[in-house]
Amino acid sequence: MTAAAHRPATLEDVARAAGVSRSTASRVIAGTGFASPAARERVVTAADQLGYVPNPAARALVRGGGVRLVVAVAGTSAAVLDDPYVHRVVGSAARVCAPAGVGVALHWLPLGDPRGLDRLAADRSVCGVVLVNTTDALLDAVPRSLHGRVASIGIGSAVVPSFDVDNTAGAGAVLRHLYATGRRRIAMVTGPAWLPCSQRPVQAYRHLMRQAGLPERVVDGDFTAARGRAAAGEALRRWPDVDAIYAISDETALGVIAALREGGVRVPGDVAVAGFDDIPLAGMTAPALTTASHPVGRIATAAATAVLAGRPAAPATLFPSALVTRDSA
């Protein structure tokens, strides 16, 4: 028995058996380029006899379709790639791509320097891109060659379809819950100012506070627990009578709770705290965190599916967010 019998047949084996060059066999298998009818028949017959199964990665490269979907995340530093939110996006995208023989790669796009998109567009191994933390500048920088192969988790444009959570409605549900439970001096900890999608909850907060005739109390945030700790202290110093703090990130809200408890402030007795995202840890803390749901998996699945399907641009798709009440508020 030959060594070849112990391994899967290769394209070279097919070419040898068919009496053609490797390039001719490759064109026949890939279905691209010219090959005579006789050569095509010999290659097909040889492939069948040898049980040749084309490598999906090699086939995609031949066709220029790419073998990697890139999750490209904008941020001020590469540390954004460590965010558990990003990990959930990558995991969901991988589940979509695996049946198609497509891998998933993670890429950092430095804020204010979108040239990385040009390199991704020129890379023939890249079949498409899912943008995360999308900004207007990033959308403007999407190369024409990526049109039809890119989707955004966040804001979109006429040529880039977008998928995101309806965090305006989610924020509104949390804030109305705080109001319904008697809270009237509600402070808010925001997300990064440069991120457009983090501004929607701020707008919802300001609208509801004005509607209820309540004071607006806004503290800058960045989605981290460390900033939540600092923001809690800042809120108490600026507004000693604050009776609720709403953070638009669960991690930030957990940082707020930690700082309040360390300062002897009872949660929710003195100050109610609520977040947004409903991360797994939110239901396991003491007190458990009141929040609003964020279907990251469904959003990432929809974005990756759109890229693989080459779906044309469409209006923004917003996924609903639901209030999750627990002990903290």
Side-chain angles (χ1 to χ4, degrees), residues 6-47:
H6 293 286
R7 59 170 171 76
T10 66
L11 187 61
E12 287 77 8
D13 295 330
V14 173
R16 190 179 306 112
V20 299
S21 68
R22 185 187 187 283
S23 60
T24 297
S26 176
R27 289 197 298 273
V28 172
I29 297 296
T32 61
F34 173 78
S36 69
R40 188 176 303 279
E41 182 177 353
R42 293 200 303 273
V43 169
V44 171
T45 299

PDB file of all heavy atoms in Angstrom, residues 6-47:
ATOM      1  N   HIS A   6      -2.669   6.389   2.695  1.00  0.00           N
ATOM      2  CA  HIS A   6      -2.868   6.666   4.114  1.00  0.00           C
ATOM      3  C   HIS A   6      -3.298   8.107   4.379  1.00  0.00           C
ATOM      4  O   HIS A   6      -3.510   8.480   5.515  1.00  0.00           O
ATOM      5  CB  HIS A   6      -1.572   6.391   4.886  1.00  0.00           C
ATOM      6  CG  HIS A   6      -1.194   4.928   4.901  1.00  0.00           C
ATOM      7  ND1 HIS A   6      -1.846   4.003   5.669  1.00  0.00           N
ATOM      8  CD2 HIS A   6      -0.238   4.260   4.209  1.00  0.00           C
ATOM      9  CE1 HIS A   6      -1.301   2.800   5.493  1.00  0.00           C
ATOM     10  NE2 HIS A   6      -0.323   2.933   4.595  1.00  0.00           N
ATOM     11  N   ARG A   7      -3.401   8.924   3.338  1.00  0.00           N
ATOM     12  CA  ARG A   7      -3.764  10.328   3.523  1.00  0.00           C
ATOM     13  C   ARG A   7      -4.843  10.718   2.528  1.00  0.00           C
ATOM     14  O   ARG A   7      -5.026  10.056   1.505  1.00  0.00           O
ATOM     15  CB  ARG A   7      -2.536  11.218   3.320  1.00  0.00           C
ATOM     16  CG  ARG A   7      -1.904  11.075   1.934  1.00  0.00           C
ATOM     17  CD  ARG A   7      -0.856  12.146   1.679  1.00  0.00           C
ATOM     18  NE  ARG A   7      -0.115  11.899   0.460  1.00  0.00           N
ATOM     19  CZ  ARG A   7      -0.578  12.125  -0.762  1.00  0.00           C
ATOM     20  NH1 ARG A   7      -1.818  12.574  -0.926  1.00  0.00           N
ATOM     21  NH2 ARG A   7       0.167  11.891  -1.830  1.00  0.00           N
ATOM     22  N   PRO A   8      -5.568  11.807   2.801  1.00  0.00           N
ATOM     23  CA  PRO A   8      -6.572  12.263   1.845  1.00  0.00           C
ATOM     24  C   PRO A   8      -5.915  12.662   0.528  1.00  0.00           C
ATOM     25  O   PRO A   8      -4.772  13.122   0.500  1.00  0.00           O
ATOM     26  CB  PRO A   8      -7.191  13.482   2.553  1.00  0.00           C
ATOM     27  CG  PRO A   8      -6.855  13.309   3.997  1.00  0.00           C
ATOM     28  CD  PRO A   8      -5.534  12.615   4.022  1.00  0.00           C
ATOM     29  N   ALA A   9      -6.615  12.467  -0.562  1.00  0.00           N
ATOM     30  CA  ALA A   9      -6.099  12.853  -1.871  1.00  0.00           C
ATOM     31  C   ALA A   9      -5.912  14.365  -1.933  1.00  0.00           C
ATOM     32  O   ALA A   9      -6.705  15.138  -1.387  1.00  0.00           O
ATOM     33  CB  ALA A   9      -7.065  12.403  -2.960  1.00  0.00           C
ATOM     34  N   THR A  10      -4.849  14.783  -2.612  1.00  0.00           N
ATOM     35  CA  THR A  10      -4.566  16.200  -2.776  1.00  0.00           C
ATOM     36  C   THR A  10      -4.869  16.624  -4.204  1.00  0.00           C
ATOM     37  O   THR A  10      -5.110  15.803  -5.094  1.00  0.00           O
ATOM     38  CB  THR A  10      -3.088  16.498  -2.473  1.00  0.00           C
ATOM     39  OG1 THR A  10      -2.282  15.848  -3.472  1.00  0.00           O
ATOM     40  CG2 THR A  10      -2.697  15.982  -1.096  1.00  0.00           C
ATOM     41  N   LEU A  11      -4.820  17.925  -4.431  1.00  0.00           N
ATOM     42  CA  LEU A  11      -5.027  18.439  -5.773  1.00  0.00           C
ATOM     43  C   LEU A  11      -3.946  17.917  -6.720  1.00  0.00           C
ATOM     44  O   LEU A  11      -4.206  17.651  -7.895  1.00  0.00           O
ATOM     45  CB  LEU A  11      -5.035  19.974  -5.744  1.00  0.00           C
ATOM     46  CG  LEU A  11      -5.416  20.680  -7.050  1.00  0.00           C
ATOM     47  CD1 LEU A  11      -6.832  20.293  -7.470  1.00  0.00           C
ATOM     48  CD2 LEU A  11      -5.308  22.193  -6.869  1.00  0.00           C
ATOM     49  N   GLU A  12      -2.724  17.760  -6.198  1.00  0.00           N
ATOM     50  CA  GLU A  12      -1.641  17.215  -7.017  1.00  0.00           C
ATOM     51  C   GLU A  12      -1.946  15.785  -7.448  1.00  0.00           C
ATOM     52  O   GLU A  12      -1.656  15.390  -8.590  1.00  0.00           O
ATOM     53  CB  GLU A  12      -0.314  17.258  -6.241  1.00  0.00           C
ATOM     54  CG  GLU A  12       0.301  18.644  -6.089  1.00  0.00           C
ATOM     55  CD  GLU A  12      -0.393  19.484  -5.030  1.00  0.00           C
ATOM     56  OE1 GLU A  12      -1.264  18.942  -4.305  1.00  0.00           O
ATOM     57  OE2 GLU A  12      -0.077  20.688  -4.944  1.00  0.00           O
ATOM     58  N   ASP A  13      -2.542  15.000  -6.553  1.00  0.00           N
ATOM     59  CA  ASP A  13      -2.921  13.626  -6.902  1.00  0.00           C
ATOM     60  C   ASP A  13      -3.949  13.626  -8.039  1.00  0.00           C
ATOM     61  O   ASP A  13      -3.872  12.820  -8.972  1.00  0.00           O
ATOM     62  CB  ASP A  13      -3.514  12.910  -5.682  1.00  0.00           C
ATOM     63  CG  ASP A  13      -2.500  12.721  -4.571  1.00  0.00           C
ATOM     64  OD1 ASP A  13      -1.299  12.594  -4.879  1.00  0.00           O
ATOM     65  OD2 ASP A  13      -2.916  12.704  -3.397  1.00  0.00           O
ATOM     66  N   VAL A  14      -4.919  14.533  -7.939  1.00  0.00           N
ATOM     67  CA  VAL A  14      -5.950  14.618  -8.972  1.00  0.00           C
ATOM     68  C   VAL A  14      -5.335  15.007 -10.311  1.00  0.00           C
ATOM     69  O   VAL A  14      -5.641  14.415 -11.362  1.00  0.00           O
ATOM     70  CB  VAL A  14      -7.048  15.631  -8.562  1.00  0.00           C
ATOM     71  CG1 VAL A  14      -8.035  15.846  -9.712  1.00  0.00           C
ATOM     72  CG2 VAL A  14      -7.774  15.154  -7.320  1.00  0.00           C
ATOM     73  N   ALA A  15      -4.464  16.022 -10.287  1.00  0.00           N
ATOM     74  CA  ALA A  15      -3.823  16.480 -11.523  1.00  0.00           C
ATOM     75  C   ALA A  15      -3.006  15.356 -12.156  1.00  0.00           C
ATOM     76  O   ALA A  15      -3.043  15.153 -13.379  1.00  0.00           O
ATOM     77  CB  ALA A  15      -2.940  17.688 -11.226  1.00  0.00           C
ATOM     78  N   ARG A  16      -2.266  14.626 -11.323  1.00  0.00           N
ATOM     79  CA  ARG A  16      -1.425  13.528 -11.824  1.00  0.00           C
ATOM     80  C   ARG A  16      -2.292  12.442 -12.457  1.00  0.00           C
ATOM     81  O   ARG A  16      -1.994  11.941 -13.560  1.00  0.00           O
ATOM     82  CB  ARG A  16      -0.589  12.964 -10.686  1.00  0.00           C
ATOM     83  CG  ARG A  16       0.487  11.976 -11.136  1.00  0.00           C
ATOM     84  CD  ARG A  16       1.308  11.471  -9.952  1.00  0.00           C
ATOM     85  NE  ARG A  16       1.868  12.579  -9.194  1.00  0.00           N
ATOM     86  CZ  ARG A  16       1.508  12.903  -7.962  1.00  0.00           C
ATOM     87  NH1 ARG A  16       0.553  12.205  -7.347  1.00  0.00           N
ATOM     88  NH2 ARG A  16       2.071  13.910  -7.346  1.00  0.00           N
ATOM     89  N   ALA A  17      -3.376  12.065 -11.778  1.00  0.00           N
ATOM     90  CA  ALA A  17      -4.249  11.008 -12.295  1.00  0.00           C
ATOM     91  C   ALA A  17      -4.961  11.432 -13.569  1.00  0.00           C
ATOM     92  O   ALA A  17      -5.243  10.600 -14.448  1.00  0.00           O
ATOM     93  CB  ALA A  17      -5.272  10.615 -11.226  1.00  0.00           C
ATOM     94  N   ALA A  18      -5.261  12.722 -13.680  1.00  0.00           N
ATOM     95  CA  ALA A  18      -5.974  13.225 -14.852  1.00  0.00           C
ATOM     96  C   ALA A  18      -5.039  13.563 -16.005  1.00  0.00           C
ATOM     97  O   ALA A  18      -5.507  13.814 -17.130  1.00  0.00           O
ATOM     98  CB  ALA A  18      -6.801  14.459 -14.482  1.00  0.00           C
ATOM     99  N   GLY A  19      -3.736  13.592 -15.732  1.00  0.00           N
ATOM    100  CA  GLY A  19      -2.772  13.931 -16.771  1.00  0.00           C
ATOM    101  C   GLY A  19      -2.814  15.388 -17.171  1.00  0.00           C
ATOM    102  O   GLY A  19      -2.591  15.726 -18.343  1.00  0.00           O
ATOM    103  N   VAL A  20      -3.088  16.277 -16.188  1.00  0.00           N
ATOM    104  CA  VAL A  20      -3.128  17.712 -16.468  1.00  0.00           C
ATOM    105  C   VAL A  20      -2.243  18.434 -15.456  1.00  0.00           C
ATOM    106  O   VAL A  20      -1.768  17.845 -14.481  1.00  0.00           O
ATOM    107  CB  VAL A  20      -4.570  18.263 -16.379  1.00  0.00           C
ATOM    108  CG1 VAL A  20      -5.471  17.585 -17.395  1.00  0.00           C
ATOM    109  CG2 VAL A  20      -5.130  18.100 -14.965  1.00  0.00           C
ATOM    110  N   SER A  21      -2.036  19.698 -15.677  1.00  0.00           N
ATOM    111  CA  SER A  21      -1.256  20.488 -14.724  1.00  0.00           C
ATOM    112  C   SER A  21      -2.080  20.765 -13.474  1.00  0.00           C
ATOM    113  O   SER A  21      -3.317  20.674 -13.492  1.00  0.00           O
ATOM    114  CB  SER A  21      -0.835  21.813 -15.355  1.00  0.00           C
ATOM    115  OG  SER A  21      -1.977  22.633 -15.565  1.00  0.00           O
ATOM    116  N   ARG A  22      -1.368  21.130 -12.390  1.00  0.00           N
ATOM    117  CA  ARG A  22      -2.072  21.454 -11.149  1.00  0.00           C
ATOM    118  C   ARG A  22      -2.987  22.660 -11.349  1.00  0.00           C
ATOM    119  O   ARG A  22      -4.099  22.706 -10.809  1.00  0.00           O
ATOM    120  CB  ARG A  22      -1.065  21.755 -10.031  1.00  0.00           C
ATOM    121  CG  ARG A  22      -1.729  21.978  -8.666  1.00  0.00           C
ATOM    122  CD  ARG A  22      -0.719  22.437  -7.635  1.00  0.00           C
ATOM    123  NE  ARG A  22      -1.296  22.503  -6.314  1.00  0.00           N
ATOM    124  CZ  ARG A  22      -2.104  23.474  -5.880  1.00  0.00           C
ATOM    125  NH1 ARG A  22      -2.444  24.473  -6.705  1.00  0.00           N
ATOM    126  NH2 ARG A  22      -2.588  23.455  -4.647  1.00  0.00           N
ATOM    127  N   SER A  23      -2.528  23.644 -12.120  1.00  0.00           N
ATOM    128  CA  SER A  23      -3.345  24.843 -12.329  1.00  0.00           C
ATOM    129  C   SER A  23      -4.634  24.503 -13.077  1.00  0.00           C
ATOM    130  O   SER A  23      -5.701  25.054 -12.780  1.00  0.00           O
ATOM    131  CB  SER A  23      -2.551  25.914 -13.079  1.00  0.00           C
ATOM    132  OG  SER A  23      -2.136  25.435 -14.346  1.00  0.00           O
ATOM    133  N   THR A  24      -4.552  23.578 -14.051  1.00  0.00           N
ATOM    134  CA  THR A  24      -5.762  23.177 -14.765  1.00  0.00           C
ATOM    135  C   THR A  24      -6.722  22.458 -13.824  1.00  0.00           C
ATOM    136  O   THR A  24      -7.929  22.727 -13.818  1.00  0.00           O
ATOM    137  CB  THR A  24      -5.407  22.263 -15.953  1.00  0.00           C
ATOM    138  OG1 THR A  24      -4.613  22.988 -16.881  1.00  0.00           O
ATOM    139  CG2 THR A  24      -6.671  21.763 -16.653  1.00  0.00           C
ATOM    140  N   ALA A  25      -6.176  21.552 -13.009  1.00  0.00           N
ATOM    141  CA  ALA A  25      -7.023  20.840 -12.044  1.00  0.00           C
ATOM    142  C   ALA A  25      -7.668  21.825 -11.082  1.00  0.00           C
ATOM    143  O   ALA A  25      -8.848  21.699 -10.731  1.00  0.00           O
ATOM    144  CB  ALA A  25      -6.189  19.808 -11.284  1.00  0.00           C
ATOM    145  N   SER A  26      -6.912  22.826 -10.655  1.00  0.00           N
ATOM    146  CA  SER A  26      -7.435  23.822  -9.726  1.00  0.00           C
ATOM    147  C   SER A  26      -8.579  24.603 -10.354  1.00  0.00           C
ATOM    148  O   SER A  26      -9.607  24.849  -9.709  1.00  0.00           O
ATOM    149  CB  SER A  26      -6.319  24.777  -9.301  1.00  0.00           C
ATOM    150  OG  SER A  26      -6.826  25.811  -8.481  1.00  0.00           O
ATOM    151  N   ARG A  27      -8.426  24.995 -11.634  1.00  0.00           N
ATOM    152  CA  ARG A  27      -9.490  25.754 -12.306  1.00  0.00           C
ATOM    153  C   ARG A  27     -10.762  24.922 -12.430  1.00  0.00           C
ATOM    154  O   ARG A  27     -11.874  25.429 -12.251  1.00  0.00           O
ATOM    155  CB  ARG A  27      -9.017  26.215 -13.684  1.00  0.00           C
ATOM    156  CG  ARG A  27      -7.964  27.303 -13.657  1.00  0.00           C
ATOM    157  CD  ARG A  27      -7.843  27.983 -15.008  1.00  0.00           C
ATOM    158  NE  ARG A  27      -7.432  27.054 -16.055  1.00  0.00           N
ATOM    159  CZ  ARG A  27      -6.161  26.756 -16.349  1.00  0.00           C
ATOM    160  NH1 ARG A  27      -5.182  27.306 -15.639  1.00  0.00           N
ATOM    161  NH2 ARG A  27      -5.877  25.921 -17.327  1.00  0.00           N
ATOM    162  N   VAL A  28     -10.597  23.628 -12.736  1.00  0.00           N
ATOM    163  CA  VAL A  28     -11.770  22.765 -12.873  1.00  0.00           C
ATOM    164  C   VAL A  28     -12.472  22.603 -11.527  1.00  0.00           C
ATOM    165  O   VAL A  28     -13.694  22.733 -11.419  1.00  0.00           O
ATOM    166  CB  VAL A  28     -11.374  21.382 -13.444  1.00  0.00           C
ATOM    167  CG1 VAL A  28     -12.571  20.425 -13.401  1.00  0.00           C
ATOM    168  CG2 VAL A  28     -10.854  21.520 -14.870  1.00  0.00           C
ATOM    169  N   ILE A  29     -11.698  22.307 -10.476  1.00  0.00           N
ATOM    170  CA  ILE A  29     -12.285  22.096  -9.145  1.00  0.00           C
ATOM    171  C   ILE A  29     -12.954  23.366  -8.643  1.00  0.00           C
ATOM    172  O   ILE A  29     -14.046  23.337  -8.061  1.00  0.00           O
ATOM    173  CB  ILE A  29     -11.207  21.629  -8.145  1.00  0.00           C
ATOM    174  CG1 ILE A  29     -10.638  20.268  -8.571  1.00  0.00           C
ATOM    175  CG2 ILE A  29     -11.776  21.569  -6.742  1.00  0.00           C
ATOM    176  CD1 ILE A  29     -11.636  19.135  -8.567  1.00  0.00           C
ATOM    177  N   ALA A  30     -12.303  24.533  -8.880  1.00  0.00           N
ATOM    178  CA  ALA A  30     -12.843  25.807  -8.385  1.00  0.00           C
ATOM    179  C   ALA A  30     -13.973  26.325  -9.253  1.00  0.00           C
ATOM    180  O   ALA A  30     -14.738  27.196  -8.835  1.00  0.00           O
ATOM    181  CB  ALA A  30     -11.731  26.851  -8.301  1.00  0.00           C
ATOM    182  N   GLY A  31     -14.082  25.795 -10.483  1.00  0.00           N
ATOM    183  CA  GLY A  31     -15.131  26.277 -11.381  1.00  0.00           C
ATOM    184  C   GLY A  31     -14.823  27.625 -11.966  1.00  0.00           C
ATOM    185  O   GLY A  31     -15.728  28.384 -12.335  1.00  0.00           O
ATOM    186  N   THR A  32     -13.537  27.982 -12.057  1.00  0.00           N
ATOM    187  CA  THR A  32     -13.143  29.279 -12.603  1.00  0.00           C
ATOM    188  C   THR A  32     -12.140  29.069 -13.722  1.00  0.00           C
ATOM    189  O   THR A  32     -11.385  28.093 -13.738  1.00  0.00           O
ATOM    190  CB  THR A  32     -12.502  30.158 -11.519  1.00  0.00           C
ATOM    191  OG1 THR A  32     -11.331  29.501 -11.019  1.00  0.00           O
ATOM    192  CG2 THR A  32     -13.456  30.411 -10.369  1.00  0.00           C
ATOM    193  N   GLY A  33     -12.072  29.988 -14.668  1.00  0.00           N
ATOM    194  CA  GLY A  33     -11.074  29.940 -15.724  1.00  0.00           C
ATOM    195  C   GLY A  33     -11.378  28.887 -16.788  1.00  0.00           C
ATOM    196  O   GLY A  33     -12.360  28.145 -16.718  1.00  0.00           O
ATOM    197  N   PHE A  34     -10.479  28.808 -17.787  1.00  0.00           N
ATOM    198  CA  PHE A  34     -10.697  27.927 -18.939  1.00  0.00           C
ATOM    199  C   PHE A  34     -10.079  26.551 -18.714  1.00  0.00           C
ATOM    200  O   PHE A  34      -9.001  26.415 -18.138  1.00  0.00           O
ATOM    201  CB  PHE A  34     -10.086  28.551 -20.192  1.00  0.00           C
ATOM    202  CG  PHE A  34     -10.121  27.627 -21.380  1.00  0.00           C
ATOM    203  CD1 PHE A  34     -11.296  27.443 -22.094  1.00  0.00           C
ATOM    204  CD2 PHE A  34      -8.988  26.907 -21.748  1.00  0.00           C
ATOM    205  CE1 PHE A  34     -11.342  26.580 -23.179  1.00  0.00           C
ATOM    206  CE2 PHE A  34      -9.027  26.042 -22.837  1.00  0.00           C
ATOM    207  CZ  PHE A  34     -10.204  25.874 -23.551  1.00  0.00           C
ATOM    208  N   ALA A  35     -10.797  25.544 -19.186  1.00  0.00           N
ATOM    209  CA  ALA A  35     -10.266  24.180 -19.290  1.00  0.00           C
ATOM    210  C   ALA A  35     -11.062  23.498 -20.394  1.00  0.00           C
ATOM    211  O   ALA A  35     -12.277  23.686 -20.503  1.00  0.00           O
ATOM    212  CB  ALA A  35     -10.411  23.420 -17.978  1.00  0.00           C
ATOM    213  N   SER A  36     -10.370  22.708 -21.216  1.00  0.00           N
ATOM    214  CA  SER A  36     -11.060  22.035 -22.318  1.00  0.00           C
ATOM    215  C   SER A  36     -12.061  21.022 -21.766  1.00  0.00           C
ATOM    216  O   SER A  36     -11.896  20.517 -20.650  1.00  0.00           O
ATOM    217  CB  SER A  36     -10.049  21.327 -23.209  1.00  0.00           C
ATOM    218  OG  SER A  36      -9.485  20.221 -22.522  1.00  0.00           O
ATOM    219  N   PRO A  37     -13.101  20.712 -22.519  1.00  0.00           N
ATOM    220  CA  PRO A  37     -14.082  19.722 -22.051  1.00  0.00           C
ATOM    221  C   PRO A  37     -13.441  18.386 -21.700  1.00  0.00           C
ATOM    222  O   PRO A  37     -13.826  17.749 -20.717  1.00  0.00           O
ATOM    223  CB  PRO A  37     -15.033  19.594 -23.247  1.00  0.00           C
ATOM    224  CG  PRO A  37     -14.940  20.921 -23.936  1.00  0.00           C
ATOM    225  CD  PRO A  37     -13.510  21.341 -23.797  1.00  0.00           C
ATOM    226  N   ALA A  38     -12.450  17.959 -22.508  1.00  0.00           N
ATOM    227  CA  ALA A  38     -11.797  16.679 -22.240  1.00  0.00           C
ATOM    228  C   ALA A  38     -11.022  16.724 -20.926  1.00  0.00           C
ATOM    229  O   ALA A  38     -11.090  15.790 -20.109  1.00  0.00           O
ATOM    230  CB  ALA A  38     -10.856  16.318 -23.397  1.00  0.00           C
ATOM    231  N   ALA A  39     -10.290  17.823 -20.723  1.00  0.00           N
ATOM    232  CA  ALA A  39      -9.524  17.959 -19.483  1.00  0.00           C
ATOM    233  C   ALA A  39     -10.461  18.038 -18.281  1.00  0.00           C
ATOM    234  O   ALA A  39     -10.209  17.441 -17.230  1.00  0.00           O
ATOM    235  CB  ALA A  39      -8.639  19.197 -19.553  1.00  0.00           C
ATOM    236  N   ARG A  40     -11.555  18.769 -18.458  1.00  0.00           N
ATOM    237  CA  ARG A  40     -12.519  18.900 -17.364  1.00  0.00           C
ATOM    238  C   ARG A  40     -13.089  17.530 -16.987  1.00  0.00           C
ATOM    239  O   ARG A  40     -13.198  17.192 -15.814  1.00  0.00           O
ATOM    240  CB  ARG A  40     -13.646  19.848 -17.793  1.00  0.00           C
ATOM    241  CG  ARG A  40     -14.615  20.222 -16.681  1.00  0.00           C
ATOM    242  CD  ARG A  40     -15.625  21.236 -17.195  1.00  0.00           C
ATOM    243  NE  ARG A  40     -14.976  22.432 -17.720  1.00  0.00           N
ATOM    244  CZ  ARG A  40     -14.531  23.441 -16.967  1.00  0.00           C
ATOM    245  NH1 ARG A  40     -14.670  23.378 -15.652  1.00  0.00           N
ATOM    246  NH2 ARG A  40     -13.953  24.491 -17.517  1.00  0.00           N
ATOM    247  N   GLU A  41     -13.404  16.717 -17.994  1.00  0.00           N
ATOM    248  CA  GLU A  41     -13.965  15.397 -17.712  1.00  0.00           C
ATOM    249  C   GLU A  41     -12.954  14.517 -16.987  1.00  0.00           C
ATOM    250  O   GLU A  41     -13.312  13.803 -16.038  1.00  0.00           O
ATOM    251  CB  GLU A  41     -14.398  14.733 -19.015  1.00  0.00           C
ATOM    252  CG  GLU A  41     -15.051  13.372 -18.809  1.00  0.00           C
ATOM    253  CD  GLU A  41     -15.534  12.765 -20.105  1.00  0.00           C
ATOM    254  OE1 GLU A  41     -15.490  13.456 -21.151  1.00  0.00           O
ATOM    255  OE2 GLU A  41     -15.957  11.585 -20.079  1.00  0.00           O
ATOM    256  N   ARG A  42     -11.675  14.580 -17.405  1.00  0.00           N
ATOM    257  CA  ARG A  42     -10.643  13.761 -16.754  1.00  0.00           C
ATOM    258  C   ARG A  42     -10.439  14.181 -15.299  1.00  0.00           C
ATOM    259  O   ARG A  42     -10.260  13.342 -14.415  1.00  0.00           O
ATOM    260  CB  ARG A  42      -9.329  13.859 -17.519  1.00  0.00           C
ATOM    261  CG  ARG A  42      -9.363  13.226 -18.910  1.00  0.00           C
ATOM    262  CD  ARG A  42      -7.960  12.915 -19.422  1.00  0.00           C
ATOM    263  NE  ARG A  42      -7.097  14.086 -19.459  1.00  0.00           N
ATOM    264  CZ  ARG A  42      -7.019  14.935 -20.490  1.00  0.00           C
ATOM    265  NH1 ARG A  42      -7.801  14.745 -21.568  1.00  0.00           N
ATOM    266  NH2 ARG A  42      -6.193  15.962 -20.457  1.00  0.00           N
ATOM    267  N   VAL A  43     -10.461  15.483 -15.058  1.00  0.00           N
ATOM    268  CA  VAL A  43     -10.258  15.969 -13.687  1.00  0.00           C
ATOM    269  C   VAL A  43     -11.423  15.538 -12.797  1.00  0.00           C
ATOM    270  O   VAL A  43     -11.218  15.061 -11.665  1.00  0.00           O
ATOM    271  CB  VAL A  43     -10.099  17.510 -13.674  1.00  0.00           C
ATOM    272  CG1 VAL A  43     -10.154  18.038 -12.232  1.00  0.00           C
ATOM    273  CG2 VAL A  43      -8.799  17.924 -14.331  1.00  0.00           C
ATOM    274  N   VAL A  44     -12.645  15.695 -13.280  1.00  0.00           N
ATOM    275  CA  VAL A  44     -13.816  15.323 -12.489  1.00  0.00           C
ATOM    276  C   VAL A  44     -13.800  13.825 -12.192  1.00  0.00           C
ATOM    277  O   VAL A  44     -14.079  13.385 -11.058  1.00  0.00           O
ATOM    278  CB  VAL A  44     -15.117  15.732 -13.219  1.00  0.00           C
ATOM    279  CG1 VAL A  44     -16.336  15.143 -12.517  1.00  0.00           C
ATOM    280  CG2 VAL A  44     -15.227  17.250 -13.301  1.00  0.00           C
ATOM    281  N   THR A  45     -13.455  13.031 -13.203  1.00  0.00           N
ATOM    282  CA  THR A  45     -13.403  11.583 -13.008  1.00  0.00           C
ATOM    283  C   THR A  45     -12.334  11.214 -11.984  1.00  0.00           C
ATOM    284  O   THR A  45     -12.574  10.388 -11.086  1.00  0.00           O
ATOM    285  CB  THR A  45     -13.108  10.878 -14.349  1.00  0.00           C
ATOM    286  OG1 THR A  45     -14.155  11.181 -15.273  1.00  0.00           O
ATOM    287  CG2 THR A  45     -13.017   9.366 -14.161  1.00  0.00           C
ATOM    288  N   ALA A  46     -11.143  11.831 -12.109  1.00  0.00           N
ATOM    289  CA  ALA A  46     -10.055  11.534 -11.177  1.00  0.00           C
ATOM    290  C   ALA A  46     -10.430  11.937  -9.755  1.00  0.00           C
ATOM    291  O   ALA A  46     -10.147  11.215  -8.787  1.00  0.00           O
ATOM    292  CB  ALA A  46      -8.784  12.256 -11.618  1.00  0.00           C
ATOM    293  N   ALA A  47     -11.067  13.090  -9.609  1.00  0.00           N
ATOM    294  CA  ALA A  47     -11.464  13.554  -8.275  1.00  0.00           C
ATOM    295  C   ALA A  47     -12.449  12.582  -7.649  1.00  0.00           C
ATOM    296  O   ALA A  47     -12.363  12.266  -6.453  1.00  0.00           O
ATOM    297  CB  ALA A  47     -12.062  14.948  -8.368  1.00  0.00           C
TER     298      ALA A  47
END
